Amino acid sequence: MAIASPQQQPQIHRFPQFKYVDGVRWLPPLSAFSRFAVIALFDSDSDSSSIEIHSLTQNPLDIVPHSTWISPSRVSSLKTSQLHRNPLVFASTYTGSLHVLSVEPMEASLDSELSVPEKMLHDGPISCVDVMDGGGECLTVSEDGRVSLVSVGESGLSYRRIFDSNGLVSYNAVKWASPTEFVTGGCGFSLQWWDQRKPGGAVSQFKANWASGIVHCIDIHPSRKHTCLAGGSFGTVFAWDLRSQQQPIILSGLEGSKTSNPSPCESEVWEVHYDPYIKSGNLGGMSSTQILPAMICSEDGILTSIEQGKEPVELLAEPCAINGFDINRQHPSEVICNLEWESVAILSRP
Amino acid sequence: MPGPASDSSPSGALVLSSWEAREVVYPIRHELKPPIARLSISWARGNSFRVSIFTQHPANHTSDSNDGEVGGQVLEVKIRNGDGEISAAEFRRIAYGSVSPFALLQSRKHMVSGLSKMSMGLPRFNPDGWEYLAEYSKDISSVIGNPKLIPSSAIEDPLEILKKVEEPTCLKAAWELMDVFYADKQSHWWLNERLVDWLAEYDSVLSTTQSTIHSKLVDFQKELNNLQVVEDNPRYWDVILSALAVGWQEIVVKMLRLHGSYQLDQLSRRETENGLVEAVAFLISEMPRMRPELDSGKFGQCFKTKPDFTKAWEKWRSKITKLDGSGFWVHCTHVQTRKGLQNMLRIILGDVESLSGATCNWMELYISQLLYVRPFSMGLESMYNLAEKCMQLKPASNTDRLMALIIGILGESPEIVLAECSRGFGPWMATHAMELLIEENDEAETLLHEERHDLGGVSIEELHRLVYAQVLCSHAFTWQIAPIYLTSCAKQGIGFLETLLYSQAVQHNGVLLKNLEICRLYELDSLSSNIMKIAGVYHWKHGRKGCGVFWLKQARDEVRLNKIAQQLFDSVGKSISDESFKQWEGLIELLGSESKNTGGLEFLHKYRDFKKSLHQVHQKGKTTGAAQSAVDSLIALMKNPSTPQRFWLPILNDSLKLIDWHGGPLLNTEQTNLLLNKLQELSMAKLRPDFVESDLPPLALSSIRLALAKNLGRAFLEGC
């Protein structure tokens, strides 16, 4: 694996939280200068969970708790979005409830909360939520095999079940592709493509079964809605193009290392995002089958950027797992990640 | 589930102190009215346990039993040790941080021992061993924490004699002490000065029961702002003498400069006095030190070799003696100043009584003796004797943990040092400090590596690591680092590790996958497949069939997969609703076809195809095309040897409509004969004792026969 040259080496700041970090996200900007991060924490001493907004200060870089909301249960998945210029925080829990917190833009405080209680959406923990860009439509999936849609409206939350596999298929990841389409993923490196205009089941399916692992995360680029990037067990990252259905492009992992590059990691890939910071040589001339650059984090403590046909560039190698990360959309040079050892790391790339 | 515990103490934790006797009574408060009928106590994870309290069940229900207290109460009690210095969260941070240095040191040791095995016969090949150990010690030390200067105003406050720093921890002080003696043996030539530095940094945590020079300074600092004429105050001189005794020269000089004779309006009147003060201050700032360098802001001249140092020391001492005997003292009219300065010179000249008077405990006295009485002693020689003498002069009623550790170190007894590390600072310290003790010390190495019968065949080293690993295992956040320590335990490590991994919860995918990842790292394949089986059964039982089958397949658990397949057989030949047929079909899909041993799966797949096409026939009605494909499925099913005999009749019964097709015969002669033969075989099988009678209506068999015969006839005619 290529190591970034000294000039490209990101600056890394680690912040111990003294609580387990269940998730981190950047908050959509409230003003031009302020930066906020949303952190979901679990305190084992008091057995309590919370979602905190931390504000970032520069020179020296530091994070300071700003506003706190106590969660009834541990947060299993965390997303942020913006609706009518108001930032929203979506959090699902291990007991199956979903909470939508709105952030007061002047004070950057978590002020009001809407929620769907447990057992309404799913039976057991919600494994993943995804919120439509600039909208209040939130998809939730679970291992119980249900896919639900929660909408934030004037009169509160409304929800409906899109599909129920009755436990025959477990879903671990979900991602919107367009206002009507989305993709789910789960056991056996399987992906399902759904279209709300065609109810009753997935429109298209993919199952790889490379020694069988689990898809943990999905990303879809707004400009390439037909391609779905998925990460999962054994360091596997692959792209599934709807137009060439059964021929996935393997970017990393055991299966990929047989043919092309050595894999940057061997363990679970917990999160994958397209990386807007990396400017590919000729973006304009890039064919639409070329996979855009992405970033992954893994159980073996690697945060790395990967690009089709290039050596991965390692950004961070920790002695503990990196359980998730988020790239700041407004300042793509900044990455925040949650580490297994009760801390948060912030990277600033030059 | 019972509600959360209502705490027994405000912090919700009992405080157990290892210093006190074992039998101590701690009250647990609960809100139940007596009489209490039953108590039940059970251990929970880590250092907590649950106490369930049940009230007396009312004997007669006519009494007021509806006051809501019939049940009882469950209290969760957490025990923490008496070390209030480091919180549980801070301890976890230290535990996380020390993993990498520990693992790095182990791998380097492995490499070195591998190299020395290769170069057998050659003297011990360990060129960089010291560097590794020193690096390890520094890494661990920085994990425990670096005291930070609390930012003060840019302009220096002349009255601030003590720099404000964050209070160091006792643990850090202990580790630094170990570092001075064991890790950095390259610096042993200036051991005395390192101890002086150590005391300067950690005097504040030296004792919890006795006062220290640091605490005296802190007290005086508070007073200082209210003092008009400092030199009239006996405490001023007292504090100066103390600081001088332990070599805090920059503080001494700073305090001397507060002397009233420096003030411009007094300078002319107190010229001699001021000259003496300045002379003493100057001499103190010129003190020769046997050390490579001094931090900026500290006073003294550094010497790296003993002859140079001895020469400079003698010269400096002669200056002091000269000043001591000078005639100026007579002209010094301020009594306190004269006495104070002369007492200072006495300390510098090594007067034991003065040193003893200026210090608060034996450790400070010991350091002062190293500075002024025995400046030339090097290394550990006769250090213990000196310490013993100091202890006699300043006996301590209560042994603080740091002092106990120092006594052990000076006594050069690794056993005591380790025992004090463990007793005073816990399993973390014992485990990590052991590495420092063992290096290049054969006595310690034998002692710690020897397998002990009374410890169940493990060595002391392994015992301490196991104990520390147990501490890590007891917390949901730290169990993942326990394997690092367990795998360095040759005898019992793997056994403990397997127990640990087995006991982790499988409910959440995250934890499960982290657990399996550890199995993969340490190549515990059979354990990993067992954990997958547990996960599989768990998910199956909770209705997540997809997940369940996935994990069972990952574990290659043919037995359970077979059982699931057998359950599917129960639906064969029965009429089931559309919804359950979908479920049934989905399950067959899940089980897949790649596994060959999964008995009867081939049959199930064929049966599913048959059922599906039959379904279409029933739905779409009378199209001959659909019926023909159903017949093909039927024949494939009946031809296949894997189709169990007991299903023959039900299948044929299902297909009555096909056999007796209204639009003409669907089966040709050959196919009809095949089915008739099967019927024949069945009637023969009836005679066997293990035959299972199907629960079809009695007329079913004859109607099948009739239909088949009818079809055969029609097929003949068609064939002609």
Side-chain angles (χ1 to χ4, degrees):
Chain A
M1 186 186 322
I3 305 289
S5 65
Q7 299 86 15
Q8 296 172 323
Q9 208 98 101
Q11 276 190 309
I12 300 157
H13 302 266
R14 294 179 185 81
F15 306 101
Q17 297 296 305
F18 301 101
K19 289 170 190 169
Y20 193 86
V21 184
D22 280 325
V24 288
R25 294 291 162 218
W26 292 106
L27 196 68
L30 298 165
S31 71
F33 302 107
S34 61
R35 265 168 234 188
F36 295 96
V38 185
I39 305 180
L41 295 164
F42 170 63
D43 182 353
S44 69
D45 292 338
S46 61
D47 211 3
S48 62
S49 300
S50 59
I51 290 176
E52 291 181 1
I53 290 189
H54 286 236
S55 64
L56 264 76
T57 59
Q58 300 286 346
N59 300 322
L61 186 72
D62 201 1
I63 57 172
V64 186
H66 193 83
S67 172
T68 305
W69 175 78
I70 303 293
S71 167
S73 159
R74 275 182 82 162
V75 173
S76 58
S77 180
L78 184 72
K79 290 280 155 67
T80 52
S81 87
Q82 207 165 15
L83 185 63
H84 313 308
R85 302 203 142 266
N86 273 347
L88 293 176
V89 178
F90 290 75
S92 66
T93 68
Y94 281 109
T95 48
S97 55
L98 179 82
H99 305 271
V100 183
L101 313 171
S102 72
V103 180
E104 205 281 313
M106 297 304 286
E107 296 283 316
S109 59
L110 292 161
D111 63 348
S112 69
E113 180 230 348
L114 293 167
S115 68
V116 183
E118 50 198 74
K119 299 226 161 61
M120 304 303 278
L121 297 170
H122 297 278
D123 184 18
I126 293 177
S127 22
C128 187
V129 298
D130 191 51
V131 191
M132 200 185 290
D133 262 346
E137 305 270 283
C138 172
L139 285 165
T140 64
V141 294
S142 161
E143 291 193 332
D144 69 353
R146 291 180 197 161
V147 181
S148 303
L149 178 70
V150 181
S151 318
V152 184
E154 292 294 319
S155 55
L157 296 182
S158 59
Y159 56 91
R160 68 184 177 90
R161 190 168 299 163
I162 292 180
F163 185 72
D164 189 351
S165 80
N166 287 313
L168 285 174
V169 188
S170 285
Y171 303 106
N172 295 80
V174 64
K175 181 78 191 170
W176 284 104
S178 74
T180 53
E181 294 155 294
F182 60 91
V183 178
T184 56
C187 296
F189 283 128
S190 64
L191 292 172
Q192 298 84 21
W193 193 283
W194 306 74
D195 190 335
Q196 288 197 72
R197 292 164 297 192
K198 297 169 189 163
V203 179
S204 182
Q205 295 207 38
F206 168 77
K207 197 158 186 179
N209 241 329
W210 304 295
S212 238
I214 302 173
V215 168
H216 298 306
C217 47
I218 303 171
D219 199 13
I220 294 169
H221 199 275
S223 72
R224 308 266 166 99
K225 292 187 173 172
H226 45 82
T227 308
C228 158
L229 191 64
S233 313
F234 322 122
T236 305
V237 180
F238 64 96
W240 177 45
D241 193 329
L242 267 184
R243 297 167 306 180
S244 54
Q245 292 240 1
Q246 296 307 319
Q247 286 168 330
I249 300 161
I250 297 168
L251 297 174
S252 151
L254 288 179
E255 205 58 26
S257 60
K258 285 181 198 158
T259 51
S260 56
N261 285 329
S263 177
C265 58
E266 296 179 343
S267 186
E268 314 296 322
V269 172
W270 290 124
E271 194 142 11
V272 60
H273 290 295
Y274 282 109
D275 187 359
Y277 185 68
I278 295 183
K279 300 280 177 284
S280 253
N282 51 345
L283 206 61
M286 222 167 161
S287 83
S288 70
T289 48
Q290 180 87 11
I291 309 300
L292 295 169
M295 189 188 287
I296 58 171
C297 71
S298 76
E299 174 65 22
D300 38 15
I302 303 291
L303 182 77
T304 179
S305 63
I306 51 170
E307 209 177 333
Q308 196 178 1
K310 287 195 183 167
E311 286 230 332
V313 180
E314 189 176 284
L315 297 168
L316 185 63
E318 287 290 299
C320 65
I322 303 176
N323 290 327
F325 71 96
D326 194 26
I327 302 174
N328 194 336
R329 288 206 194 174
Q330 278 65 41
H331 310 275
S333 65
E334 289 177 350
V335 183
I336 187 167
C337 24
N338 50 326
L339 310 180
E340 179 72 23
W341 289 348
E342 298 175 60
S343 55
V344 165
I346 294 180
L347 277 80
S348 347
R349 292 182 275 180
Chain B
M1 222 178 85
S6 60
D7 296 325
S8 53
S9 64
S11 61
L14 292 181
V15 180
L16 291 186
S17 166
S18 52
W19 309 109
E20 290 162 38
R22 287 276 151 202
E23 299 80 14
V24 188
V25 178
Y26 297 98
I28 294 176
R29 254 172 263 145
H30 60 84
E31 286 133 28
L32 298 176
K33 283 186 208 134
I36 303 296
R38 203 153 60 84
L39 268 181
S40 153
I41 300 169
S42 64
W43 282 99
R45 189 178 191 130
N47 292 338
S48 57
F49 61 88
R50 293 201 185 100
V51 181
S52 317
I53 305 163
F54 302 94
T55 49
Q56 187 76 54
H57 202 276
N60 51 343
H61 293 275
T62 51
S63 68
D64 53 340
S65 59
N66 51 354
D67 59 352
E69 273 197 31
V70 188
Q73 203 175 5
V74 182
L75 300 169
E76 191 169 273
V77 184
K78 279 184 186 162
I79 308 169
R80 60 180 165 86
N81 62 12
D83 191 352
E85 183 180 53
I86 291 171
S87 68
E90 175 65 13
F91 165 74
R92 291 199 304 272
R93 195 192 58 75
I94 293 173
Y96 297 140
S98 34
V99 168
S100 296
F102 181 82
L104 183 64
L105 182 71
Q106 297 306 322
S107 78
R108 282 173 166 176
K109 276 165 119 183
H110 264 287
M111 215 171 65
V112 168
S113 78
L115 279 177
S116 64
K117 263 180 208 151
M118 266 159 51
S119 55
M120 258 194 304
L122 292 171
R124 209 159 159 190
F125 178 71
N126 185 8
D128 300 327
W130 286 120
E131 284 171 32
Y132 291 161
L133 199 68
E135 195 185 321
Y136 164 76
S137 178
K138 290 275 167 298
D139 288 348
I140 296 278
S141 173
S142 71
V143 166
I144 310 173
N146 287 318
K148 277 175 248 152
L149 271 175
I150 295 169
S152 51
S153 60
I155 307 155
E156 207 182 342
D157 179 4
L159 289 182
E160 190 194 72
I161 50 175
L162 267 180
K163 287 236 162 56
K164 282 194 195 106
V165 287
E166 259 177 46
E167 178 99 327
T169 61
C170 214
L171 184 67
K172 171 93 175 168
W175 186 268
E176 284 297 308
L177 199 63
M178 297 292 286
D179 179 77
V180 167
F181 282 97
Y182 299 107
D184 197 358
K185 290 198 180 167
Q186 307 290 322
S187 312
H188 267 201
W189 62 274
W190 58 293
L191 186 63
N192 289 3
E193 287 282 338
R194 291 207 66 191
L195 285 174
V196 172
D197 288 353
W198 180 84
L199 187 76
E201 199 160 343
Y202 300 109
D203 194 42
S204 56
V205 289
L206 193 58
S207 172
T208 50
T209 48
Q210 295 165 285
S211 68
T212 59
I213 294 177
H214 180 266
S215 64
K216 267 165 85 172
L217 272 166
V218 171
D219 291 345
F220 184 70
Q221 171 84 70
K222 283 179 205 148
E223 255 174 71
L224 193 57
N225 292 320
N226 303 325
L227 288 179
Q228 294 298 324
V229 189
V230 281
E231 63 271 25
D232 286 350
N233 191 315
R235 301 245 303 138
Y236 169 72
W237 293 104
D238 186 38
V239 169
I240 287 188
L241 288 180
S242 293
L244 178 67
V246 287
W248 301 352
Q249 316 301 44
E250 64 287 349
I251 293 178
V252 176
V253 171
K254 195 163 185 181
M255 283 185 75
L256 282 178
R257 298 264 154 85
L258 297 176
H259 194 274
S261 66
Y262 280 99
Q263 284 175 21
L264 287 174
D265 55 331
Q266 303 195 9
L267 206 54
S268 52
R269 276 191 294 118
R270 304 169 73 175
E271 211 171 333
T272 318
E273 194 184 335
N274 183 255
L276 284 167
V277 173
E278 184 55 32
V280 171
F282 174 75
L283 280 174
I284 286 169
S285 63
E286 287 284 286
M287 179 173 169
R289 315 288 290 255
M290 176 80 172
R291 57 189 297 154
E293 61 196 356
L294 275 163
D295 292 345
S296 67
K298 306 233 167 167
F299 297 126
Q301 294 170 278
C302 300
F303 296 93
K304 285 183 188 168
T305 60
K306 204 168 172 179
D308 289 350
F309 173 67
T310 319
K311 228 191 281 170
W313 179 265
E314 295 303 338
K315 211 168 135 195
W316 184 67
R317 280 283 287 250
S318 72
K319 280 185 196 164
I320 304 275
T321 328
K322 210 168 131 196
L323 179 67
D324 196 26
S326 112
F328 288 110
W329 296 108
V330 196
H331 304 291
C332 181
T333 47
H334 195 266
V335 185
Q336 281 98 331
T337 303
R338 192 180 66 225
K339 277 198 174 161
L341 291 177
Q342 279 176 333
N343 283 338
M344 286 176 77
L345 294 184
R346 210 141 297 139
I347 281 189
I348 296 173
L349 291 171
D351 179 58
V352 176
E353 213 164 292
S354 305
L355 290 174
S356 177
T359 49
C360 300
N361 51 52
W362 73 261
M363 181 67 197
E364 287 168 359
L365 176 61
Y366 174 71
I367 298 291
S368 72
Q369 298 230 4
L370 288 182
L371 265 175
Y372 300 109
V373 183
R374 302 167 69 166
F376 306 125
S377 66
M378 283 174 81
L380 277 160
E381 52 181 282
S382 68
M383 273 189 144
Y384 187 65
N385 287 342
L386 183 60
E388 267 189 328
K389 268 182 212 152
C390 295
M391 275 184 268
Q392 276 161 14
L393 280 169
K394 287 211 171 280
S397 55
N398 197 334
T399 321
D400 280 291
R401 47 187 179 157
L402 263 181
M403 302 237 215
L405 180 63
I406 296 162
I407 297 169
I409 292 174
L410 294 179
E412 293 186 68
S413 158
E415 206 166 359
I416 295 180
V417 174
L418 187 61
E420 290 299 342
C421 282
S422 166
R423 190 178 69 99
F425 304 94
W428 176 88
M429 180 71 174
T431 304
H432 291 89
M434 237 171 355
E435 301 298 325
L436 302 179
L437 280 174
I438 288 172
E439 192 67 30
E440 295 270 310
N441 182 338
D442 292 336
E443 187 201 342
E445 197 171 344
T446 336
L447 178 82
L448 298 178
H449 283 166
E450 185 192 6
E451 287 173 10
R452 307 240 162 176
H453 187 65
D454 54 343
L455 297 178
V458 302
S459 63
I460 294 185
E461 181 186 60
E462 181 163 344
L463 178 74
H464 281 286
R465 283 183 187 166
L466 288 175
V467 170
Y468 178 55
Q470 289 284 299
V471 173
L472 295 174
C473 292
S474 72
H475 198 281
F477 297 169
T478 51
W479 69 267
Q480 284 179 66
I481 56 181
I484 308 269
Y485 295 89
L486 287 174
T487 45
S488 68
C489 297
K491 289 259 168 185
Q492 311 237 336
I494 293 298
F496 268 79
L497 180 58
E498 289 188 353
T499 319
L500 167 69
L501 297 178
Y502 256 132
S503 61
Q504 294 308 315
V506 296
Q507 285 92 317
H508 298 313
N509 248 337
V511 180
L512 174 66
L513 290 166
K514 282 169 196 288
N515 205 352
L516 291 174
E517 171 68 9
I518 293 173
C519 293
R520 186 181 73 89
L521 282 178
Y522 297 106
E523 293 170 351
L524 302 168
D525 292 342
S526 70
L527 186 65
S528 144
S529 83
N530 278 344
I531 291 170
M532 288 176 187
K533 282 180 197 172
I534 296 171
V537 172
Y538 172 81
H539 285 299
W540 177 265
K541 282 189 169 171
H542 282 78
R544 293 183 286 274
K545 304 209 162 62
C547 239
V549 171
F550 171 78
W551 284 117
L552 291 175
K553 273 177 147 180
Q554 290 295 91
R556 296 179 210 290
D557 188 350
E558 300 296 346
V559 179
R560 280 179 193 84
L561 286 173
N562 244 328
K563 277 211 171 126
I564 292 174
Q566 290 306 318
Q567 280 186 17
L568 295 177
F569 277 85
D570 295 347
S571 312
V572 172
K574 306 218 169 91
S575 61
I576 47 175
S577 68
D578 280 4
E579 200 46 45
S580 17
F581 182 72
K582 250 191 194 160
Q583 269 280 321
W584 185 83
E585 201 187 343
L587 268 178
I588 292 177
E589 196 65 41
L590 274 181
L591 288 172
S593 49
E594 76 263 42
S595 136
K596 290 192 178 54
N597 295 341
T598 318
L601 266 186
E602 198 190 349
F603 159 70
L604 282 177
H605 277 270
K606 290 213 158 71
Y607 182 71
R608 186 215 32 207
D609 294 343
F610 165 68
K611 268 293 206 192
K612 254 181 157 172
S613 48
L614 204 61
H615 195 69
Q616 280 191 337
V617 172
H618 282 289
Q619 258 185 353
K620 290 191 182 160
K622 324 275 176 187
T623 55
T624 311
Q628 194 57 56
S629 78
V631 165
D632 291 343
S633 301
L634 172 68
I635 296 301
L637 202 54
M638 294 306 278
K639 260 190 184 163
N640 197 305
S642 75
T643 305
Q645 204 178 43
R646 63 195 155 108
F647 296 131
W648 290 356
L649 208 53
I651 291 169
L652 286 171
N653 193 40
D654 275 352
S655 3
L656 260 180
K657 202 175 174 185
L658 295 175
I659 301 169
D660 194 12
W661 192 249
H662 55 90
L666 289 174
L667 293 93
N668 60 27
T669 328
E670 195 187 331
Q671 288 168 330
T672 321
N673 275 330
L674 172 84
L675 297 185
L676 278 169
N677 283 340
K678 289 278 176 193
L679 274 186
Q680 189 60 30
E681 235 179 277
L682 262 183
S683 48
M684 298 289 283
K686 258 185 190 173
L687 303 173
R688 287 216 303 271
D690 59 344
F691 180 77
V692 188
E693 191 80 51
S694 62
D695 47 359
L696 287 171
L699 281 178
L701 183 63
S702 50
S703 44
I704 294 169
R705 269 188 208 284
L706 188 64
L708 278 173
K710 205 169 152 192
N711 187 79
L712 190 63
R714 285 157 73 187
F716 266 137
L717 288 176
E718 292 243 323
C720 294

